[in-house]
Amino acid sequence: MDLSEAVACCSPLVAEPLSAEHSVELARVFKAMGDPVRLRLLSLIASHAGGEACVCDLTDVFDLTGATISHHLKVLREAGLISGERRGTWVYYRVRPDLLARLSAVLVPGSAIRDAAVAR
Amino acid sequence: MDLSEAVACCSPLVAEPLSAEHSVELARVFKAMGDPVRLRLLSLIASHAGGEACVCDLTDVFDLTGATISHHLKVLREAGLISGERRGTWVYYRVRPDLLARLSAVLVPGSAIRDAAVAR
DNA sequence: TTAGTACTTAGATGGCTGTCAAGCTAGACG
DNA sequence: CGTCTAGCTTGACAGCCATCTAAGTACTAA
């Protein structure tokens, strides 16, 4: 099962018990967000001008080696939370707002209505 | 800094870069949700009749010892996601929807407006 | 009080994970 | 070509974590 797909079809947590399969996929996404460095990376990328950020912009913020930042970006990428693209020398990352919105919807009841409102 | 407090005052991820302090507190909550068993526990409790569930109801669902379930419930409790109360022989847990709503708001832009709408 | 049920805590253990150093690949520029 | 910069991968290691067994606590019932 694809990750974003799994998240997309999950009902709100309060609506019905999560299936074992869905819980595994959902947990993978939350686990990816369960690290301070990765959360900051996510918000740095999301809030950066143009909606994207170069890895060099991100590395300077932390007191960590490039290898570690690269590792965290990979975790976020494999969770479907960000996507990366090489343009010349640099690699740019951007968040995937659709997945964030779906995650957000899973956390609160009545999300279907709210999602429709957001789509408008 | 209190956990729920930290989550409450976090702006949406896309609005501005998360501070190092906020990211640590937020990550603790997401980390608690980053496990399939804990996610299922959360949804079992949230979707249970009356908004609360006894530990014995939860233990039967999984192929795990009571000690392990107890451990996961403790993690969820320390993250501020659930609260437990003993009534007689049994212990009942319920979710704290306020924290879930705030978490949800952190994930999407324009949450302040949407929160106001939800509150009505 | 004794026995029994419902959790919780403590300790142990195997597996996972965040981090770094070192090495590697991809592109830019002579 | 060679060299420089940006980023990724690998391998290693210390610390964390999910799980179990065994023991402890809290309440009920006879």
Side-chain angles (χ1 to χ4, degrees), chain B residues 31 35 38 65 67-68 71-72 88-89:
Chain B
K31 194 173 189 177
D35 180 277
R38 287 197 291 268
T65 63
T68 301
H71 158 71
H72 285 305
T89 308

Side-chain angles (χ1 to χ4, degrees), chain A residues 31 38 65 67-68 71-72 88-89:
Chain A
K31 193 173 188 177
R38 288 198 289 267
T65 63
T68 301
H71 159 70
H72 284 305
T89 308

